[in-house]
């Protein structure tokens, strides 16, 4: 099996279009790591101001809410406009907008202007990531989608984490943990955005990444854009309703993401107020660096293991098993509330999160028609991020100021157990009904030679 996995991976990497698409993603996500670290640092880990649980939740929501607000619009445009052009121009626009964002960070201005610019920059990233996900089937064979998604998603997450790691290095050895330091950090990000844009422009023809239909509908005037979005989302949901395998997987991932939001806020509070008692934000950031490394390692393990396991047992069984495993692991690794065991918990949770994401993305790509794929991914992204924000604020309203709550650990573990049980029942029933497993296109036989 190892030899087969190697051959599948080599066949994916042999595709020139996939390698270039991967380069577009990696350069952009590295820049994202740096820019979002600057935003998070200026809001959450700034020695100039105290941070409450609600403030951390609001700051974290600032980093993901744009995905939810922009998400419904993304699919409509991805299914009508050249995905290559969207990737090129959104990256260039983000690079330009980082300049005023850095100026506002440097001035310590966290008012409406700062929020709007941050929302736009992060929201535009949704066009990039959703467009790249919808474009993968144009550069990789359908039977290789699990491996392609595993590789691109994993390396993208790792590059994002590398950007966070570079930020930690800068904070500890080169710049101060303050407004001017975070502003300087943000100014590095445009290099990656411009590189990603140029690579996409040089690597692909205008229509090479889709959408498939030969005659795209005429662009609607601005006054009807909202109606187009609503109709587009409705079309995506209607299409998804007939693709139960992908729909069930998306619901399971949304539930997972809500609980992940609770764990995220608890972890931030623990490192901000429980493990560090002298309000030294640099110690907090250094401690979180180990969390980032553990999370990246978990993502990497999921990428290596998921394609092989889904070929053996099926995508739906793998997702159910991952979520059930987290339900067991959380009480053992989190309830002692020690930093080493918490790092282990992050490693385990990220294996489950990335493994689930790979299966869900592949289910959408494999089951949904390309003409609707962008809209379905928009629905997926919106539910994914709204669920996370709901988890953050639920935690902010219930957790103590230092994040230390054994009861919350067991409640979250029970939530994971319920999701795993529900998904195993409904996804298994659907897989038996259609006579085909969920998210296993890599099972197709390899070409001889």
């Amino acid at each position: 099996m190892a030899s087969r996995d190697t051959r599948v991976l080599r066949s994916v990497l042999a595709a020139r279009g996939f390698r270039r698409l991967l380069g577009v993603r990696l350069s952009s996500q590295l820049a994202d790591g740096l820019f979002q670290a600057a935003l998070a640092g200026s809001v959450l880990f700034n020695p100039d101001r105290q941070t409450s649980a609600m403030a951390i939740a609001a700051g974290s929501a600032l980093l993901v809410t744009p995905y939810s607000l922009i998400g419904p619009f993304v699919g409509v445009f991805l299914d009508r406009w050249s995905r290559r052009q969207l990737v090129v121009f959104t990256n260039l626009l983000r690079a330009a907008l980082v300049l005023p964002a850095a100026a506002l960070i440097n001035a310590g201005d966290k008012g409406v202007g700062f929020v709007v610019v941050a929302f736009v920059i992060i929201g535009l990233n949704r066009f990039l990531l959703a467009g790249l996900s919808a474009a993968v089937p144009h550069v990789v064979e359908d039977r290789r989608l699990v491996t392609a998604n595993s590789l691109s998603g994993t390396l993208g997450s790792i590059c994002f984490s590398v950007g966070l790691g570079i930020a930690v290095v800068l904070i500890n050895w080169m710049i101060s943990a303050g407004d001017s330091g975070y502003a300087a950090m943000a100014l590095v990000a445009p290099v990656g955005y411009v590189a990603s844009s140029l690579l996409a422009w040089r690597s692909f023809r205008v229509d090479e990444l889709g959408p498939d239909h030969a005659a795209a509908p005429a662009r609607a005037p601005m006054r009807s854009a909202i109606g187009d979005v609503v109709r587009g989302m409705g079309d995506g949901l209607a299409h998804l309703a007939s693709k139960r395998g992908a729909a069930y997987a998306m619901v399971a991932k949304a539930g997972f993401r809500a609980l992940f939001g609770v764990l995220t806020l608890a972890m931030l509070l623990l490192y901000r107020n429980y493990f560090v008692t002298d309000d030294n934000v640099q110690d907090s950031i250094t401690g979180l660096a180990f969390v980032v490394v553990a999370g990246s390692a978990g993502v990497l393990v999921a990428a290596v293991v998921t394609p092989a396991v889904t070929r053996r047992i099926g995508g739906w069984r793998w997702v159910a098993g991952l979520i059930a495993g987290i339900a067991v692991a959380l009480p053992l690794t989190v309830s002692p509330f020690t930093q080493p065991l918490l790092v282990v918990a992050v490693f385990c949770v990220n294996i489950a999160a990335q493994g689930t994401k790979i299966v869900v993305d592949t289910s959408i790509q494999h089951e949904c028609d390309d003409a609707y794929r962008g809209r379905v991914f928009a629905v997926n992204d919106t539910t994914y991020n709204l669920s996370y924000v709901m988890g953050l604020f639920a935690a902010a309203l219930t957790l103590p100021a230092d994040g230390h709550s054994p009861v919350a650990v067991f409640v979250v573990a029970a939530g994971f157990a319920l999701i795993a049980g529900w998904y195993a029942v409904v996804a298994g029933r659907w897989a038996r009904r259609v006579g085909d497993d969920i998210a296993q296109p890599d099972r197709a036989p390899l070409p001889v030679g």
Side-chain angles (χ1 to χ4, degrees):
M1 183 61 68
S3 175
R4 177 187 174 87
D5 294 337
T6 301
R7 292 170 63 192
V8 171
L9 179 60
R10 289 174 61 185
S11 69
V12 170
L13 289 174
R16 183 183 182 187
F18 176 76
R19 293 197 307 271
R20 293 187 171 186
L21 197 66
L22 185 62
V24 172
R25 183 182 189 123
L26 299 188
S27 53
S28 178
Q29 289 201 254
L30 178 65
D32 283 334
L34 276 166
F35 179 69
Q36 294 194 30
L39 284 183
S42 67
V43 174
L44 309 180
F45 295 99
N46 196 323
D48 298 330
R49 58 183 62 89
Q50 294 295 318
T51 308
S52 65
M54 188 58 70
I56 292 178
S60 301
L62 172 64
L63 299 178
V64 299
T65 300
Y67 294 109
S68 304
L69 298 178
I70 299 296
F73 295 85
V74 171
V76 175
F77 296 130
L78 288 178
D79 294 335
R80 299 171 64 203
W81 294 353
S82 164
R83 292 166 189 163
R84 180 261 211 175
Q85 296 298 87
L86 284 173
V87 169
V88 170
F89 289 113
T90 52
N91 265 325
L92 291 177
L93 182 56
R94 285 197 299 164
L97 289 174
V98 168
L99 302 179
L104 290 169
I105 293 173
N106 186 63
D109 185 351
K110 301 301 184 293
V112 175
F114 171 79
V115 173
V116 170
V117 173
F119 263 53
V120 173
I121 293 173
I122 300 173
L124 287 172
N125 188 45
R126 182 48 35 205
F127 280 99
L128 175 74
L129 295 182
L132 293 176
S133 293
V136 169
H138 289 265
V139 295
V140 175
E141 293 177 316
D142 186 66
R143 59 182 176 176
R144 305 286 187 249
L145 285 177
V146 169
T147 300
N149 288 328
S150 176
L151 185 62
S152 60
T154 298
L155 293 180
S157 296
I158 289 174
C159 275
F160 182 84
S161 298
V162 169
L164 297 178
I166 292 172
V168 172
V169 171
L170 292 175
I171 287 294
N172 279 282
W173 285 284
M174 298 183 66
I175 61 178
S176 61
D179 289 328
S180 60
Y182 291 127
M185 185 189 304
L187 288 174
V188 182
V191 177
Y193 294 145
V194 172
S196 178
S197 180
L198 291 176
L199 182 58
W201 178 64
R202 293 290 301 273
S203 299
F204 302 103
R205 299 186 307 273
V206 171
D207 60 347
E208 193 170 350
L209 300 179
D212 275 341
H213 45 76
R219 296 182 184 180
M222 185 62 68
R223 63 180 179 273
S224 64
I226 294 178
D228 287 343
V229 169
V230 173
R231 286 190 293 273
M233 289 290 287
D235 290 343
L237 285 169
H239 185 72
L240 187 62
S242 64
K243 310 296 181 180
R244 296 287 185 85
Y248 290 144
M250 282 174 55
V251 172
K253 188 174 77 167
F256 185 104
R257 187 66 172 169
L259 296 176
F260 187 87
V262 175
L263 294 176
T264 298
L265 185 61
M267 179 194 68
L268 290 172
L269 289 173
L270 287 168
Y271 275 93
R272 187 69 170 83
N273 301 323
Y274 183 75
F275 295 135
V276 179
T277 59
D278 59 359
D279 202 33
N280 188 332
V281 295
Q282 285 191 306
D283 286 348
S284 297
I285 294 171
T286 301
L288 285 171
F290 292 99
V291 171
V292 171
V293 171
S296 299
V299 168
L300 182 60
V301 169
V304 172
V305 172
T306 296
V309 174
T310 55
R311 281 194 292 270
R312 286 194 180 103
I313 68 173
W316 70 269
R317 291 187 183 90
W318 179 229
V319 169
L322 286 171
I323 299 175
I326 294 304
V328 175
L330 277 182
L332 299 176
T333 56
V334 178
S335 57
F337 291 99
T338 64
Q339 291 193 54
L341 284 178
L342 188 59
V343 169
V344 173
V346 170
F347 172 74
C348 295
V349 170
N350 275 271
I351 291 176
Q354 185 67 13
T356 300
K357 182 181 185 302
I358 291 169
V359 173
V360 174
D361 287 354
T362 305
S363 296
I364 294 172
Q365 292 169 340
H366 186 56
E367 295 186 40
C368 298
D369 299 338
D370 187 70
Y372 292 93
R373 195 175 288 142
R375 280 165 280 187
V376 174
F377 267 110
V379 173
N380 178 52
D381 291 337
T382 300
T383 57
Y384 179 82
N385 290 294
L386 285 178
S387 298
Y388 179 68
V389 170
M390 289 172 61
L392 287 172
F393 283 102
L397 294 171
T398 56
L399 289 176
D402 62 359
H404 185 274
S405 176
V407 172
V409 174
F410 286 95
V411 170
V412 170
F416 280 120
L418 288 173
I419 293 172
W422 169 81
Y423 182 68
V425 171
V426 297
R429 183 187 301 147
W430 177 255
R432 289 188 293 271
R433 177 179 173 183
V434 300
D436 184 26
D437 197 11
I438 298 170
Q440 291 195 92
D442 280 6
R443 271 194 170 179
L446 289 168
V448 177

